[in-house]
Amino acid sequence: MRAWVWDGDRLDLQERPAPRPGPGEAVLDVLAAGLCHSDLSLMSRGRTGLPYDLPTVFGHEAAGRVVEIGDGVDPALLGTEVAVFGPRGCGDCRACRAGSRQYCAHARSRGIFSIGIGLDGALADRLLAPDASDLVPLAGLAPSKAAPLTDAGLTTYSAIELVAAGLGPGASVLVIGAGGGLGHLAVQWLQARGDVDVLALEASPTGRSLLQALGVETVAADASELAALRHLTPDGAGASVVLDLVGNQATLELASAFLAQDGHLAIIGLGGGLLPVGLGVVPFGAAIHTPYWGSRAQLARVLAAGRDGVVSPTVTEYEFEDVPAAYDDLRNGRVHGRAVVRPVAE
C-alpha cells in the first residue's frame, strides 16, 4: 500500500506492507484523512523531539470502510463506513474509567500512543484500528465531512462543553482564529446554542472569507483592532468566554486581557504560548481550561450533529499525491476550512 512516511527530516511517499488485524482489531480502506496544525507541530520537532520512534505515518483524523477484522470483532462491521476515535489510554486510570481516554494518566509513561500520533495513521491506503470498538458508524455522513469532525469538530465541541457555564443568554464570546480549521467549527457550535454574541478575530483573508460565508462578521484582524472593541461586550467588561484556537504568546496575552472577571478561557491552539496565572495576573474568578480532543461518547454526538446539519466542516480536498503541497498550504494559511485527502475512492 502507499503511505506518506515522516522520518524526522522529510515526508516521503513509500510502498509499505498493508496491515493485518489481530484479535479485536480492524483494518480500513481510508476514504478521508484530515490534516492538522498539530502535524506541523510534530514535524517541527525533528528526529529527537518526539516521545515515539520514527519513521511514522501522520493522520489522526480518519474515516474509512472496514475491509478486514480480527477475532472477536462483530462480522457485521465488515463493509461499514466508520469514523475513527483516535485517543488511546491505559483503560485503568480514573480518566479512562470515566470514558475520557484523551486525559489518560499513564498513556505516555506506558508508551501508549494514538492513531496518527505515535501509531501509524490515516495518510495511507489502509489503516489499522487497534480497537474495533473505537469505530463509529458514519450512517450516511460523507467521509470527507466526517474525518475533520473526529478532531477539529470533537475538540471544539468538548471545549465548548467545558466553558458552558459562561454561555448564558447574551454571553459575549471571543473566538481567536475563528476562520481556521477548528475556528469555523467552534463558531458553528456557538451559533447552534442560540443567544450568544460571537466576536470573531481572524487575520487571514481566507479565514475571513469563510466566516462571511457562515454569516459571521469578523470584528478584528489583530490585537490592535480588538483593543478598541471592548465596548461590544456587556457593560464593556470583556468576554465571558474566550476560545483561543491559536495559542501563541500574542493571542494568549490578548485572550487574558479581553476576558471578563469570572470568565472562562479555553486554550485550544498549539501555538506554544505561555500564560502566567495568579491573583492580579488573570481576571479575578477566571477559569482557565486546556481541553484536548474529546471522548468517544462526545464523538458520537458530534457525528450525529454533522448528519443533522448542525455543523458542517468546510473542506478543501487534495489528491493523495499532493499531501506535501497540502501541508504547505496549511502552514501558510491558504487552506479554506479543513484540508482533507482521500487515499481510496469511495
Side-chain angles (χ1 to χ4, degrees):
M1 69 171 189
R2 304 168 302 164
W4 282 102
V5 180
W6 173 252
D7 68 0
D9 292 319
R10 56 181 294 157
L11 196 62
D12 284 319
L13 185 58
Q14 299 180 6
E15 283 292 328
R16 281 190 155 195
R20 300 300 304 274
E25 298 177 339
V27 171
L28 283 62
D29 275 344
V30 180
L31 301 178
L35 306 187
C36 182
H37 274 281
S38 62
D39 300 340
L40 299 177
S41 176
L42 293 171
M43 290 180 193
S44 72
R45 301 183 192 182
R47 288 180 174 272
T48 58
L50 295 172
Y52 49 80
D53 294 333
L54 296 175
T56 191
V57 178
F58 291 126
H60 57 270
E61 292 185 336
R65 181 184 302 109
V66 179
V67 292
E68 291 186 63
I69 58 173
D71 292 342
V73 179
D74 185 353
L77 199 59
L78 280 170
T80 303
E81 291 188 357
V82 295
V84 181
F85 176 63
R88 300 181 67 237
C90 68
D92 302 322
C93 69
R94 182 175 62 179
C96 286
R97 292 195 305 271
S100 297
R101 273 183 284 158
Q102 73 275 21
Y103 298 133
C104 176
H106 305 301
R108 180 67 61 86
S109 63
R110 296 183 185 179
I112 301 169
F113 298 108
S114 299
I115 291 172
I117 308 175
L119 289 183
D120 283 348
L123 289 182
D125 290 319
R126 287 196 167 183
L127 171 68
L128 176 67
D131 186 343
S133 67
D134 288 339
L135 304 179
V136 184
L138 298 190
L141 183 63
S144 60
K145 295 286 189 178
L149 292 177
T150 63
D151 176 16
L154 176 57
T155 296
T156 49
Y157 177 86
S158 67
I160 289 170
E161 285 208 333
L162 279 176
V163 303
L167 294 175
S172 182
V173 183
L174 173 63
V175 184
I176 302 174
L182 276 79
H184 84 287
L185 290 166
V187 165
Q188 291 179 63
W189 291 124
L190 292 169
Q191 288 175 320
R193 297 186 73 92
D195 188 12
V196 174
D197 183 21
V198 177
L199 304 177
L201 178 69
E202 177 56 51
S204 80
T206 302
R208 292 164 78 94
S209 172
L210 176 52
L211 289 169
Q212 185 177 19
L214 291 173
V216 175
E217 180 182 356
T218 309
V219 298
D222 57 37
S224 64
E225 293 181 16
L226 188 64
L229 295 175
R230 201 176 182 90
H231 67 276
L232 295 175
T233 64
D235 301 320
S240 56
V241 170
V242 178
L243 305 177
D244 187 350
L245 284 304
V246 180
N248 64 29
Q249 195 62 39
T251 61
L252 286 181
E253 291 174 3
L254 172 64
S256 179
F258 208 79
L259 186 66
Q261 295 192 46
D262 222 18
H264 294 258
L265 166 59
I267 305 168
I268 305 166
L270 298 173
L274 296 175
L275 178 67
V277 175
L279 285 173
V281 180
V282 296
F284 289 119
I288 312 298
H289 307 270
T290 54
Y292 177 66
W293 231 330
S295 70
R296 189 192 181 284
Q298 287 175 321
L299 177 58
R301 296 198 290 272
V302 168
L303 294 174
R307 283 191 294 273
D308 293 342
V310 176
V311 292
S312 180
T314 295
V315 170
T316 299
E317 292 193 14
Y318 292 84
E319 297 295 330
F320 188 64
E321 294 78 7
D322 294 332
V323 164
Y327 275 127
D328 190 60
D329 285 348
L330 184 62
R331 185 179 293 109
N332 290 288
R334 295 191 293 262
V335 174
H336 193 66
R338 203 70 167 167
V340 171
V341 297
R342 301 178 67 179
V344 177
E346 294 181 49

